[in-house]
Amino acid sequence: VYSALPHVLPRIGITAARLGIREIPGRPALEYFLQPSKRHNVGARNFAESALNVVPQNAVIIADHTLLQPMLYLQAVENVRPDVRAVEILLEDQVSYALSQSRQNPVFLARTEPYYDISGLNRFFRIVPQGVVFRLVPLPY
């Protein structure tokens, strides 16, 4: 039953979005939450590797806690892209932080919802998808 549910539920109109579960690249939400066994669950690692490897040298990635932890693990334990700064910034501080960092480094968001100040960032940046992350391109003054 567990293996069939992720495939059956969308056919009857029950999706991850309807259940309030966010999709993360590499981790299909319904499969992740409905499978009791987490064997072969490599979605967090795949996302973190993709995020770290798609950004240029000395980039900054603003991430929420869930997405930040696998990136920090890869950096600390496996020495993957130590030049990239992956950080968690409070919602109310994201615009000022991104503005200050964008003067010296390319700045990215791990995702665009729900833990990111998209309306505030849109005032100063164009948000451009780049692989699994989103680049903040400063708007001309």
Side-chain angles (χ1 to χ4, degrees):
V1 172
Y2 286 116
S3 60
L5 279 177
H7 306 288
V8 172
L9 291 178
R11 292 181 184 178
I12 60 171
I14 300 174
T15 63
R18 186 168 174 202
L19 295 174
I21 305 169
R22 76 175 170 160
E23 292 283 348
I24 296 172
R27 186 193 80 184
L30 288 177
E31 289 178 29
Y32 179 79
F33 286 101
L34 294 174
Q35 286 290 343
S37 169
K38 299 299 182 216
R39 286 183 319 206
H40 311 297
N41 178 15
V42 295
R45 179 187 188 86
N46 291 343
F47 175 82
E49 283 179 333
S50 296
L52 290 170
N53 288 320
V54 75
V55 299
Q57 195 76 6
N58 300 316
V60 174
I61 302 175
I62 299 171
D64 62 84
H65 184 78
T66 300
L67 301 178
L68 177 67
Q69 296 310 309
M71 286 188 271
L72 294 178
Y73 173 86
L74 286 176
Q75 288 180 312
V77 176
E78 298 186 20
N79 202 37
V80 174
R81 294 300 304 272
D83 63 292
V84 174
R85 194 167 355 134
V87 296
E88 182 175 10
I89 304 298
L90 294 173
L91 191 69
E92 59 269 17
D93 298 329
Q94 290 175 1
V95 172
S96 60
Y97 182 81
L99 284 168
S100 70
Q101 292 302 306
S102 67
R103 293 184 191 111
Q104 307 92 355
N105 305 96
V107 180
F108 293 81
L109 296 178
R111 302 301 304 148
T112 56
E113 298 295 338
Y115 305 107
Y116 305 90
D117 183 5
I118 299 306
S119 62
L121 291 164
N122 272 327
R123 293 190 337 248
F124 301 97
F125 299 94
R126 193 165 39 98
I127 301 172
V128 180
Q130 184 169 323
V132 297
V133 295
F134 297 83
R135 188 173 192 148
L136 298 180
V137 178
L139 294 172
Y141 293 104

